[in-house]
Amino acid sequence: MELDKVGISRFCRRRLAYLMFKNKYCENIKDAVTFIEQGQIRVGTEVITNPAFLVTRSLEDHITWTNNSKIKRNIMKYNDQVDDYDMLN
């Protein structure tokens, strides 16, 4: 594929907020933007606070909640996967 034929919509679909919505981390893109701006999302080992961050295909599988995220803690409680050590943080 030539770079001249890449449209704007393809770039928009690589943005972190859209990928969070697509992968069902949240119910809408507005919530995704809020979570990202609060510093609750990490891509690989880096915490991302820019909702327009472009995620490569190789990093798409490495989108996770940060370790100190209350949302991650609630998900782990729901799934009964909380470790006592994790509750101390």
Side-chain angles (χ1 to χ4, degrees):
M1 177 189 310
E2 294 182 28
L3 189 59
D4 296 335
K5 296 182 182 181
V6 175
I8 294 295
S9 63
R10 286 187 186 242
F11 281 110
C12 290
R13 287 190 297 249
R14 301 304 316 159
R15 291 170 54 132
L16 180 58
Y18 176 79
L19 289 173
M20 284 183 58
F21 168 70
K22 184 180 114 184
N23 293 331
K24 303 198 186 307
Y25 279 84
C26 52
E27 293 183 6
N28 54 47
I29 294 177
K30 183 179 177 185
D31 290 342
V33 169
T34 302
F35 293 146
I36 295 166
E37 288 175 344
Q38 291 175 352
Q40 296 190 35
I41 301 298
R42 127 187 124 172
V43 178
T45 59
E46 185 178 342
V47 175
I48 306 297
T49 57
N50 180 5
F53 180 79
L54 293 177
V55 180
T56 62
R57 287 187 184 187
S58 61
L59 285 177
E60 188 173 346
D61 294 335
H62 300 283
I63 299 172
T64 59
W65 300 102
T66 57
N67 291 336
N68 59 355
S69 173
K70 290 183 179 182
I71 295 171
K72 179 180 180 178
R73 189 172 295 155
N74 286 336
I75 292 170
M76 291 178 73
K77 277 184 192 178
Y78 179 80
N79 292 332
D80 200 27
Q81 297 175 342
V82 177
D83 187 16
D84 292 337
Y85 179 75
D86 293 333
M87 295 298 283
L88 295 175
N89 295 332

